[in-house]
Amino acid sequence: MEISQGGDDSHQKKFALPVDSEHKATEFRLFSVAAPHMRAFHLSWISFFACFVSTFAAPPLLPIIRDNLDLTATDIGNAGIAAVSGAVFARIAMGTACDLFGPRLASAALTLLTTPAVYCTSIANSAVSFLLVRFFTGFSLATFVSTQFWMSSMFSARVVGTANGVAGGWGNLGGGATQLIMPLVFDLIQHIGATKFTAWRIAFFIPALFQTLSAYGIFFLGQDLPDGNYSQLHKSGDKHKDNFAQVFYHAITNYRGWILALTYGYCFGVELTIDNIIVQYFYDRFNVNLHTAGIIAASFGLANLFSRPGGGMLSDLMAKKFGMRGRLWTLWIVQTLGGVFCILLGKVGSLGVSVAVMLIFSVFVQAACGLTFGVVPFVSRRSLGIISGMTGGGGNVGAVLTQVIFFRGSRYSTETGLTLMGVMIICCTLVITLIYFPQWGGMFCGPASKGTTEEDYYMSEWNSAEKEQGFHNASLKFSENSRNERGKRIGSAPTPNNRTPDTYV
Amino acid sequence: MAIQGSFVASILLSYLVAACYGATFASLQDTLIVTGSPKAGQVLKGGEDNITVTWSLNTTFPAGTDSDYKTVKIKLCYAPISQQDRAWRKTEEELKKDKTCQHKIVEKPYSPSANTFTWTVQKDVPTATYFIRAYVHNSIDKEVAFGQTTDSHKATNLFEIQAISGRHVSLDIASICFSAFSVVSLFGFFFLEKRKAKAAQKS
């Protein structure tokens, strides 16, 4: 469907960025804050960043908190697990909430509802209360799904990968920034005159206020779709609501979604685990002071500035030459190398080498996150929201598992835990070899010899009754656009490159 | 002259060798008698209560044992029960890596008798079970001897310290108020949103 010239002129005048027929931006201009597209981008990554800062605000201050609350290693491990377990189901539920209420209200609501947990961290006085505040604060990590959903609503297929990768990566940055921010804030408050056991409590008001303000920003400055908000569009009948039961069924019966959920647990999940344990690791093993441990730990998360977006861009680059098979191979290689460097991290005993290995490890593990979401959009078209939520939730499950097995209590020393986690990464990443798309192939097999097409794959999600009513048209458009996943070597069908790639809502 | 010279040289060499290797706890002699004012099982409050420590040389040791004693560092140390499942308080033989005694009470020049010091329990001392240990350092600041208020198994004469909570009423109130405000403002948003949607429908 081509843009009609007449209508297009008036629309072009309305938006600061060039848009397609659905008014989704076809360009991604990082330094613009133009409403609604780039403004939505900046609001969503900033609020996701704020949620990450709050969720991982406790780990850098644990050497103080563990003395104040008389925590054992088991208590600390349990709280770390609680922090990432809440979001497992919250991420899946968030996909539904975005569908029903729109990403603006859904993310503003979740962000605001979790701020009491951050404020109340200041009044925690036992291991149980500490675990509870970390558990409820962790729910805010579900804003990942609203971020990705919002970007997919605002940006066309050509740039949605970049928008998603940068928004996701810069949000994850919060996990690194907090390791710097919290010790600094703590130092400042101590200098002003508070004792240690009071200063850390006051420090938690900073991430809490930041989170509150970002939620207000989303509500007052954000917009669900280029044309307006859900509540207005629903009433005017412009948006069609899909059947939740069908969408859910097609999501859970697609085995690729489950495989990616597992492997995301061993790149993103590992990233969350490291955010939780890394300050204590450097503080206790190498005897650096809290400030220095925070800086070292921060550099792990700060690599997200370029490594996760870089992973997304690498995925797109590989797809140009080798199609989906290239995406899968690159994902497997990068994530396995992440596992190798994790093994090394546990083995090195000197501070300098340890920091260097950690930095290399961070780049590989975060790039793997970006590479995963280069594959996710193609697993399902109809159930994209839930598949994204499942993958995201799987990431948190991985964080729960690795912390339960390796970093809870005193069974393994932290360095042994790191090495064993690296081995587990390598083993669990092997399942990527099982992903197979009949129209494009898998890692070891080419596409099905009977010539399955993209339409066959994506149309299998709709039954004939729905097709009669024309609900499947968006999937049809998407099938055409996804033909470039065949890669250069196999490209036989003419790619519709003169058409604007209309995209999915 | 030559014998004196080589004697001095060998002493210097042994100091050098000793300094290169970290001292271990087993290499220290238990030559000080240390007593602390807290009775066994007593609970002291952080920031409020005092501890009075007295220490002196155990005279049953031969004269000249304390010839290289220069300074004494008195420290508050964790009892085994407070070290359980807390690797950051672990006891290690090598003193550089040992984390049993993390709170310094006082450091004073060595003298064989009549030493005493009163210390107010600081506000950053955590809730735990403790004993008191004194390390004696020589002129190159290496540990050479010790004394402690408990026995070699660290089982007798232990006392507890109850830390300050760090909480204040003003902080509690601020937390509750900000939390309530966040939730209330959310409902305000939903209300505003409904009004906007109704207005859009009407127009």
Side-chain angles (χ1 to χ4, degrees), chain A residues 278-312:
Chain A
I278 198 73
V279 165
Q280 275 195 105
Y281 175 65
F282 279 101
Y283 184 85
D284 293 333
R285 188 170 186 205
F286 298 105
N287 285 317
V288 294
N289 68 32
L290 200 65
H291 207 113
T292 310
I295 294 175
I296 298 173
S299 54
F300 174 81
L302 289 177
N304 263 305
L305 186 68
F306 54 86
S307 47
R308 185 174 174 137

Coordinates of all heavy atoms in Angstrom, one line a residue, chain A residues 278-312:
Chain A
I278 N 28.2 -8.0 41.9 CA 29.5 -7.7 41.5 C 30.2 -6.7 42.5 O 31.4 -6.8 42.8 CB 29.5 -7.1 40.1 CG1 30.9 -7.1 39.5 CG2 28.9 -5.7 40.1 CD1 31.4 -8.4 39.1
V279 N 29.5 -5.8 43.2 CA 30.1 -4.9 44.1 C 30.7 -5.7 45.3 O 31.8 -5.5 45.7 CB 29.1 -3.8 44.6 CG1 29.7 -3.1 45.8 CG2 28.9 -2.8 43.5
Q280 N 29.8 -6.5 45.9 CA 30.3 -7.3 47.0 C 31.5 -8.2 46.6 O 32.4 -8.4 47.4 CB 29.2 -8.3 47.5 CG 28.2 -7.6 48.5 CD 27.4 -8.7 49.2 OE1 27.7 -9.0 50.3 NE2 26.5 -9.3 48.5
Y281 N 31.5 -8.7 45.3 CA 32.6 -9.5 44.9 C 33.9 -8.8 44.9 O 34.9 -9.2 45.5 CB 32.3 -10.0 43.5 CG 33.5 -10.8 42.8 CD1 33.9 -12.0 43.3 CD2 34.1 -10.3 41.7 CE1 34.9 -12.8 42.8 CE2 35.1 -11.1 41.1 CZ 35.5 -12.3 41.7 OH 36.6 -13.0 41.1
F282 N 33.9 -7.5 44.3 CA 35.2 -6.8 44.3 C 35.5 -6.2 45.7 O 36.7 -6.2 46.1 CB 35.1 -5.6 43.3 CG 35.3 -6.1 41.9 CD1 34.3 -6.3 41.0 CD2 36.6 -6.3 41.4 CE1 34.5 -6.7 39.7 CE2 36.9 -6.8 40.1 CZ 35.8 -7.0 39.3
Y283 N 34.5 -5.9 46.5 CA 34.8 -5.3 47.8 C 35.4 -6.4 48.7 O 36.4 -6.1 49.4 CB 33.5 -4.8 48.4 CG 33.5 -4.2 49.7 CD1 33.8 -2.8 49.8 CD2 33.3 -4.9 50.9 CE1 33.8 -2.2 51.1 CE2 33.3 -4.3 52.1 CZ 33.6 -2.9 52.2 OH 33.6 -2.3 53.4
D284 N 34.8 -7.6 48.7 CA 35.3 -8.6 49.6 C 36.5 -9.4 49.1 O 37.4 -9.7 49.8 CB 34.2 -9.7 49.8 CG 33.0 -9.1 50.5 OD1 33.2 -8.1 51.3 OD2 31.9 -9.6 50.4
R285 N 36.7 -9.6 47.7 CA 37.8 -10.4 47.3 C 39.1 -9.6 47.1 O 40.1 -10.1 47.4 CB 37.4 -11.1 45.9 CG 38.5 -12.1 45.5 CD 38.2 -13.0 44.4 NE 39.2 -14.0 44.2 CZ 39.5 -14.6 43.1 NH1 38.8 -14.3 42.0 NH2 40.4 -15.5 43.0
F286 N 38.9 -8.4 46.6 CA 40.1 -7.6 46.3 C 40.3 -6.4 47.3 O 41.3 -5.6 47.2 CB 40.1 -7.0 44.9 CG 40.0 -8.1 43.8 CD1 38.8 -8.4 43.2 CD2 41.1 -8.8 43.5 CE1 38.8 -9.4 42.2 CE2 41.1 -9.8 42.6 CZ 39.9 -10.1 41.9
N287 N 39.4 -6.4 48.3 CA 39.6 -5.4 49.4 C 39.7 -3.9 48.9 O 40.5 -3.1 49.5 CB 40.9 -5.7 50.2 CG 40.6 -6.9 51.1 OD1 39.6 -7.0 51.7 ND2 41.6 -7.8 51.2
V288 N 39.0 -3.6 47.9 CA 38.9 -2.2 47.5 C 37.8 -1.5 48.3 O 37.0 -2.2 48.9 CB 38.6 -2.1 46.0 CG1 39.7 -2.6 45.1 CG2 37.2 -2.8 45.6
N289 N 37.8 -0.2 48.3 CA 36.8 0.5 49.1 C 35.5 0.5 48.4 O 35.4 0.2 47.2 CB 37.2 1.8 49.6 CG 37.4 2.8 48.5 OD1 36.7 2.8 47.5 ND2 38.3 3.8 48.7
L290 N 34.4 0.9 49.1 CA 33.1 0.9 48.5 C 33.0 1.7 47.2 O 32.4 1.3 46.2 CB 32.1 1.4 49.5 CG 30.6 1.0 49.3 CD1 30.5 -0.5 49.4 CD2 29.7 1.7 50.3
H291 N 33.6 2.8 47.2 CA 33.6 3.8 46.1 C 34.2 3.1 44.9 O 33.6 3.1 43.8 CB 34.4 5.0 46.5 CG 34.0 6.2 45.8 ND1 33.4 7.3 46.4 CD2 34.1 6.5 44.5 CE1 33.2 8.2 45.5 NE2 33.6 7.8 44.3
T292 N 35.4 2.5 45.1 CA 36.1 1.9 43.9 C 35.3 0.7 43.4 O 35.2 0.5 42.2 CB 37.5 1.4 44.4 OG1 38.1 2.5 45.0 CG2 38.3 1.0 43.2
A293 N 34.8 -0.1 44.4 CA 34.0 -1.3 43.9 C 32.8 -0.9 43.1 O 32.4 -1.5 42.1 CB 33.5 -2.1 45.2
G294 N 32.2 0.3 43.5 CA 31.1 0.8 42.8 C 31.4 1.2 41.3 O 30.7 0.9 40.4
I295 N 32.6 1.8 41.2 CA 33.0 2.3 39.9 C 33.3 1.1 39.0 O 32.9 1.0 37.8 CB 34.3 3.1 40.0 CG1 34.0 4.4 40.7 CG2 34.9 3.4 38.6 CD1 35.2 5.3 41.0
I296 N 34.0 0.1 39.5 CA 34.3 -1.1 38.7 C 33.0 -1.8 38.3 O 32.8 -2.2 37.2 CB 35.1 -2.1 39.6 CG1 36.5 -1.5 39.9 CG2 35.3 -3.4 38.8 CD1 37.3 -2.3 40.9
A297 N 32.1 -2.0 39.3 CA 30.8 -2.6 39.0 C 30.0 -1.8 38.0 O 29.3 -2.4 37.1 CB 30.0 -2.8 40.3
A298 N 30.1 -0.5 38.1 CA 29.3 0.3 37.2 C 29.7 0.1 35.7 O 28.9 0.1 34.8 CB 29.5 1.8 37.5
S299 N 31.0 0.0 35.5 CA 31.5 -0.2 34.2 C 30.9 -1.4 33.5 O 30.8 -1.5 32.3 CB 33.0 -0.2 34.1 OG 33.5 -1.2 35.0
F300 N 30.5 -2.4 34.3 CA 29.8 -3.6 33.7 C 28.5 -3.2 33.0 O 28.3 -3.4 31.9 CB 29.6 -4.6 34.8 CG 28.8 -5.8 34.3 CD1 29.4 -6.8 33.6 CD2 27.4 -5.8 34.5 CE1 28.6 -7.9 33.1 CE2 26.7 -6.9 34.0 CZ 27.3 -7.9 33.3
G301 N 27.7 -2.4 33.8 CA 26.4 -2.1 33.3 C 26.5 -0.9 32.3 O 25.7 -0.8 31.4
L302 N 27.5 -0.1 32.4 CA 27.6 1.1 31.5 C 28.0 0.6 30.1 O 27.7 1.4 29.1 CB 28.7 2.1 32.0 CG 28.2 2.8 33.3 CD1 29.3 3.7 33.8 CD2 27.0 3.6 33.0
A303 N 28.6 -0.6 29.9 CA 28.9 -1.0 28.6 C 27.6 -1.1 27.7 O 27.7 -1.1 26.5 CB 29.6 -2.4 28.6
N304 N 26.4 -1.2 28.4 CA 25.1 -1.3 27.7 C 24.9 -0.1 26.8 O 24.1 -0.1 25.9 CB 24.0 -1.3 28.7 CG 23.5 -2.6 29.0 OD1 23.1 -3.4 28.1 ND2 23.5 -3.0 30.2
L305 N 25.7 1.0 27.0 CA 25.5 2.2 26.2 C 25.7 1.8 24.7 O 25.0 2.3 23.8 CB 26.6 3.2 26.6 CG 26.5 4.6 25.9 CD1 25.2 5.3 26.4 CD2 27.7 5.4 26.2
F306 N 26.6 0.9 24.4 CA 26.9 0.6 23.0 C 26.7 -0.9 22.7 O 26.5 -1.3 21.6 CB 28.3 1.1 22.6 CG 29.4 0.6 23.4 CD1 29.9 -0.7 23.2 CD2 29.8 1.3 24.5 CE1 30.9 -1.2 24.0 CE2 30.8 0.8 25.3 CZ 31.4 -0.4 25.1
S307 N 26.9 -1.8 23.8 CA 27.0 -3.2 23.4 C 25.6 -3.8 23.1 O 25.6 -4.6 22.2 CB 27.6 -4.0 24.6 OG 27.1 -3.6 25.8
R308 N 24.6 -3.4 23.8 CA 23.3 -4.0 23.4 C 22.8 -3.4 22.1 O 22.4 -4.2 21.2 CB 22.2 -3.7 24.5 CG 21.0 -4.4 24.2 CD 20.0 -4.4 25.3 NE 18.7 -5.0 24.8 CZ 18.0 -5.8 25.5 NH1 18.3 -6.1 26.8 NH2 16.9 -6.3 25.0
P309 N 22.8 -2.1 21.9 CA 22.5 -1.6 20.5 C 23.3 -2.2 19.5 O 22.9 -2.5 18.4 CB 22.7 -0.1 20.6 CG 22.6 0.2 22.1 CD 23.1 -1.0 22.8
G310 N 24.6 -2.4 19.8 CA 25.6 -3.0 18.8 C 25.1 -4.4 18.5 O 25.2 -4.8 17.3
G311 N 24.7 -5.2 19.5 CA 24.2 -6.5 19.2 C 23.0 -6.5 18.2 O 23.0 -7.3 17.3
G312 N 22.1 -5.5 18.4 CA 20.9 -5.4 17.5 C 21.4 -5.1 16.1 O 20.9 -5.7 15.1

